[in-house]
Amino acid sequence: MLLREVEYARPASVQDAVRLLGEHEGARALAGGQTLINVMKARVASPDVLVDLNDLEELKGIELGPDGTLEIGAMATYSDVIDSAEARARPILGEVCAQIADVQVRNRGTVGGNVCSNDPTNHLPPLLVALAATMTVAGKGRERVVPAQEFFLGVYMTAVGSGELLTKVSLPAGKNDGFASVAIGADGTCIVSAAASQNGGGPRIAIGCVDAVPVLVEPGSTDADTVRQAVRDAELNPPDDVHASADYRRHLAEVLAVRAVEEAVKGR
Ligand SMILES: Cc1cc2nc3c(=O)[nH]c(=O)nc-3n(C[C@H](O)[C@H](O)[C@H](O)COP(=O)(O)OP(=O)(O)OC[C@H]3O[C@@H](n4cnc5c(N)ncnc54)[C@H](O)[C@@H]3O)c2cc1C
């Protein structure tokens, strides 16, 4: 289906992008376009103005701070992350990006687009919650930092408000991370995913595809029975659809949480 007529702007600075997004109520940021253009073609979304972020070099950087904090610009693609020497400071990130779809999607899809679309089946939302990432959101004349577990609000809904832009994702130092998923075919959409991080204290586990937002579980121990029980105690109410029943997804959540924790404990 052809796109509905839409205004198009290609700002040269984050400031200009924020101004354009604030000026037009129906404006939407355009990153890799892998999700947005498809939903526009299907007429599920009909923005009046597309604010294309692809000229904003300041959003494409991947930097490692002296304290080991990794900062990933919202417009870094999955391929940028996979190829980045700096991103190897948190190896799980590149490993999970390499599992997303195919090379075309990885070359165009961006970290910012992945989290801002908050499709519950996407790989990065549970990973970033488990890794205790923070998201920097810029608005007119202000910037705020949102913890990942408060960033995801609902299906396709995040803490990025109208007139705002996600500029970067920051990750604290750490190497003890794990990710496990069951997907529809190799490198396909996840049916259930689990990410775990064991970098001081008990493990942080985030389960994807079982709710509108990643479900954070903190069992206090890496013992497999304790992890399973903690997932059971979360009383998940996952969708029941053509790919898996709710019961099967609950079962997968337990199994994958244990696998992700085992991987995190081994470290890299
Ligand atoms: C065939 C196919 C298979 C896929 N399989 C997977 C998969 O297995 N796992 C997975 O995780 N993903 C998968 N995806 C989704 C893919 O990763 C998308 O690229 C991603 O979800 C959206 O990223 P994008 O850069 O294309 O964003 P866009 O489509 O450009 O934008 C998505 C949304 O985010 C908003 N947005 C983008 N950037 C910002 C920003 N900086 N600030 C504020 N709002 C912003 C846009 O306005 C829009 O609402 C698949 C996509 C395709 C086409």
Side-chain angles (χ1 to χ4, degrees), residues 21 27-39 50 53-54 59 74-76 78 99-102 105-106 108-119 121-125 151 156 158 160-161 164-168 183 187-190:
L21 287 166
R28 289 283 278 275
L30 175 69
Q34 305 270 292
T35 296
L36 185 54
I37 299 299
N38 283 334
V39 296
L50 281 181
L53 309 180
N54 279 279
L59 297 187
M75 285 299 288
Y78 313 129
Q99 294 174 28
I100 296 177
D102 51 40
V105 172
R106 294 195 288 271
R108 284 217 57 91
T110 64
V111 170
N114 193 294
V115 296
C116 289
S117 53
N118 190 31
D119 181 326
T121 66
N122 274 2
H123 283 66
L124 296 188
F151 182 82
Y156 308 130
T158 70
V160 179
E164 289 187 322
L165 201 60
L166 174 75
T167 54
K168 67 178 174 193
D187 299 333
T189 305
C190 297

Side-chain angles (χ1 to χ4, degrees), residues 31 58 62 75-76 122 133 141-142 146 164-165 169 172 204 209 231 239:
E58 55 197 302
I62 300 179
M75 285 299 288
N122 274 2
R142 67 180 193 283
V146 184
E164 289 187 322
L165 201 60
V169 174
R204 274 172 74 87
C209 312
V231 174

Side-chain angles (χ1 to χ4, degrees), residues 1-9 26-52 117 156:
M1 195 189 285
L2 293 176
L3 287 181
R4 190 176 71 92
E5 201 170 303
V6 60
E7 295 283 322
Y8 174 84
R28 289 283 278 275
L30 175 69
Q34 305 270 292
T35 296
L36 185 54
I37 299 299
N38 283 334
V39 296
M40 286 172 68
K41 280 184 176 168
R43 302 287 197 267
V44 175
S46 295
D48 300 318
V49 183
L50 281 181
V51 179
D52 189 339
S117 53
Y156 308 130

Side-chain angles (χ1 to χ4, degrees), residues 95-213:
E95 288 169 22
V96 171
C97 283
Q99 294 174 28
I100 296 177
D102 51 40
V103 73
Q104 290 98 324
V105 172
R106 294 195 288 271
N107 282 346
R108 284 217 57 91
T110 64
V111 170
N114 193 294
V115 296
C116 289
S117 53
N118 190 31
D119 181 326
T121 66
N122 274 2
H123 283 66
L124 296 188
L127 181 66
L128 296 181
V129 169
L131 270 51
T134 56
M135 323 309 222
T136 302
V137 178
K140 196 177 167 199
R142 67 180 193 283
E143 198 173 76
R144 61 199 174 92
V145 177
V146 184
Q149 66 265 33
E150 293 168 24
F151 182 82
F152 303 105
L153 301 181
V155 179
Y156 308 130
M157 286 166 57
T158 70
V160 179
S162 81
E164 289 187 322
L165 201 60
L166 174 75
T167 54
K168 67 178 174 193
V169 174
S170 306
L171 293 161
K175 292 207 178 207
N176 287 78
D177 306 313
F179 185 87
S181 67
V182 168
I184 306 163
D187 299 333
T189 305
C190 297
I191 294 173
V192 175
S193 63
S197 180
Q198 170 62 32
N199 290 288
R204 274 172 74 87
I205 306 167
I207 303 170
C209 312
V210 292
D211 206 331
V213 299

